[in-house]
Amino acid sequence: MSAYIIEGGHPLDGSVRIHGAKNSVLPILAACLLAPGECVIHNCPELSDVAASLDILRHLGCRAERQGDAVVVDASAPTGWDVPDALMREMRSSVIFLGAILGRMGRAELCAPGGCELGPRPIDLHLGAIRGLGGRITEDGGGLRAEGALRGADLVLSLPSVGATENAMLAAVCAAGTTTITNAAREPEIVDLQGFLRAIGAKVHGAGSSVITVEGGVPLHGGSYAVMGDRIVAATYLAAAASAGGTVEVTGVDYRHLSTVSAVLREAGCDVQSGAESIRLRRDGPLQGVRPVRTAPYPGFPTDAQAPLMAALTRGKGCTVFVENIFDSRYRHVPEMVRMGADIRLEGRVAVVCGVDRLHGAAVRAKELRGGASLVLAGLQAEGETAVTGVEHIQRGYEDLTGELAQLGADIRQEER
Ligand code: EPZ
């Protein structure tokens, strides 16, 4: 099996251009299904989840192909409305296609996404939003069938779910009349989706706030759009510099998307300077423990940055309390870090990380995307060799983690073990 092999102890130095945001491009690719024409999505990252989305679009009868840093999708005449199990299993978040397929085709069939590496992934809010727009949904044995003409409605989400907000937006674009989505997620990826929907003619307002309004039923057309930089990938490289020491600049990302992450890194002792489209982090002394890090919906501290930041804080002085409020099972990297000598104690949603003087390399296993990346970061600062297996999890969200870290000065390579 493939493994990332890291020889720790090398500080990083250099710049990384951050690729397009996975969690922005996935709903945007689903939204391409709404446009009866050709859409060009620029700055589209080359990730396995993106490839899975293109497979789904092709299965639905769209043309979908990569052209350099862009993908071109033509949904002029889609023919399908089902997403078979095999394709659903390729990508956890394929439920995001539900609203778009139902809105465009008048019916949709897909299997309910099972749990994933982060614990149960309920979709009750997705289904409630679709039902609120008049969609009739039947669930039998893990399969979902939806049908019906959609009409505008006032939707209220019981929590600001990113995916449910996106599904509601896509379905509402095809619903006759006005839809409001209250308690909508405010993530930057939602704002990016609004930008794309406007580019294909949809009338959507309010993304980034808690109330989004959609004037549905307006004629749509093809269009082009450039995806925002991936704030979590940027946070990962900043945390890598905080872990290994040295100076790293990330470019192609909006520094405002990383405010909470930058604040914690500064409090830990890093020098963090932000420019319009770049952030530079320098770490030369030991890191300090920081005030409790509580994950929360945007603009709170992002759950996806919890593991990378924890990796950085495993070495240094003092302790940090993490409280993971978004997912039930997002500490699966902890036992692996403890095997490397980290001092981390878990109590339900709480993790207490106390900095140690040194970590030692070990054979560890990635069990999910961000936890896997955090094991690489721990390896950067461990003495000796760390071998990370389960790299397929990491490749879902990072275009070339080993290549980028190597060009920054890390001793890292991929090999078959
Ligand atoms: C999106 O997942 C991201 N994925 C996640 O990134 C990210 O961690 C998460 O938002 C939170 O920011 C994509 O965008 C593809 P949620 P999503 O719906 O939409 C509960 C990564 O590493 N919930 O905001 O699934 C849910 O169980 C991934 O890139 C319901 O109860 O997240 C969770 O506890 C991991 N019912 C909370 O809400 C629902 O119907 C937040 O989930 C939906 C969600």
Side-chain angles (χ1 to χ4, degrees), residues 22-24 26-27 49 92-93 118 120-127 159-164 166 185 187 189 231-232 303-304 325-328 330 368-370 396:
K22 168 178 82 80
N23 294 348
S24 179
L26 296 183
D49 274 4
R92 259 264 342 117
S93 47
L118 304 182
R121 296 295 285 275
I123 58 168
D124 55 309
L125 300 178
H126 297 245
L127 303 185
L159 56 83
S161 155
V162 172
E166 292 161 347
E187 272 70 3
E189 292 77 16
R231 60 192 171 102
I232 304 302
T303 173
D304 297 345
N325 294 308
I326 303 296
F327 288 110
D328 294 336
R330 201 152 207 184
E368 51 94 11
L369 167 56
R370 308 302 175 184
R396 284 186 45 224

Side-chain angles (χ1 to χ4, degrees), residues 88-366:
M88 281 294 288
R89 293 188 194 291
E90 268 186 51
M91 182 178 71
R92 259 264 342 117
S93 47
S94 32
V95 69
I96 193 58
F97 275 89
L98 174 62
I101 297 173
L102 177 60
R104 181 71 193 269
M105 307 303 287
R107 58 194 294 193
E109 288 182 23
L110 42 87
C111 70
C116 81
E117 307 83 5
L118 304 182
R121 296 295 285 275
I123 58 168
D124 55 309
L125 300 178
H126 297 245
L127 303 185
I130 299 295
R131 288 183 169 121
L133 293 167
R136 293 186 302 281
I137 296 175
T138 51
E139 302 172 72
D140 58 354
L144 284 178
R145 281 185 182 72
E147 60 184 353
L150 301 177
R151 60 186 182 285
D154 292 328
L155 306 176
V156 180
L157 297 178
S158 57
L159 56 83
S161 155
V162 172
T165 300
E166 292 161 347
N167 244 329
M169 288 167 76
L170 299 188
V173 165
C174 304
T178 301
T179 294
T180 60
I181 307 167
T182 301
N183 197 23
R186 297 162 56 189
E187 272 70 3
E189 292 77 16
I190 305 285
V191 179
D192 228 23
L193 178 60
Q194 173 178 272
F196 172 74
L197 290 172
R198 287 177 170 173
I200 63 171
K203 296 198 180 318
V204 188
H205 305 278
S209 78
S210 295
V211 181
I212 296 172
T213 303
V214 180
E215 302 299 333
V218 301
L220 303 178
H221 48 71
S224 67
Y225 191 76
V227 174
M228 62 180 251
D230 193 311
R231 60 192 171 102
I232 304 302
V233 170
T236 305
Y237 285 110
L238 294 177
S243 301
T247 303
V248 166
E249 178 191 54
V250 294
T251 61
V253 68
D254 185 334
Y255 75 94
R256 294 167 297 179
H257 294 166
L258 285 141
S259 301
T260 53
V261 174
S262 300
V264 173
L265 288 166
R266 281 193 190 96
E267 187 184 344
C270 300
D271 173 33
V272 183
Q273 302 296 328
S274 300
E277 277 239 317
S278 68
I279 304 170
R280 184 179 59 85
L281 181 143
R282 182 170 54 80
R283 197 270 288 174
D284 43 29
L287 293 183
Q288 308 292 328
V290 298
R291 284 183 296 246
V293 177
R294 298 178 179 86
T295 65
Y298 194 88
F301 188 92
T303 173
D304 297 345
Q306 174 255 105
L309 192 90
M310 185 183 288
L313 291 170
T314 52
R315 227 164 44 102
K317 308 287 181 204
C319 298
T320 299
V321 173
F322 285 82
V323 186
E324 174 53 61
N325 294 308
I326 303 296
F327 288 110
D328 294 336
S329 170
R330 201 152 207 184
Y331 288 134
R332 301 184 64 191
H333 52 281
V334 168
E336 303 299 287
M337 288 183 181
V338 169
R339 294 180 59 234
M340 298 174 70
D343 176 359
I344 308 173
R345 275 153 288 161
L346 290 181
E347 186 71 43
R349 291 186 174 276
V350 175
V352 180
V353 183
C354 291
V356 295
D357 291 336
R358 59 178 57 79
L359 296 178
H360 52 78
V364 292
R365 182 159 188 76

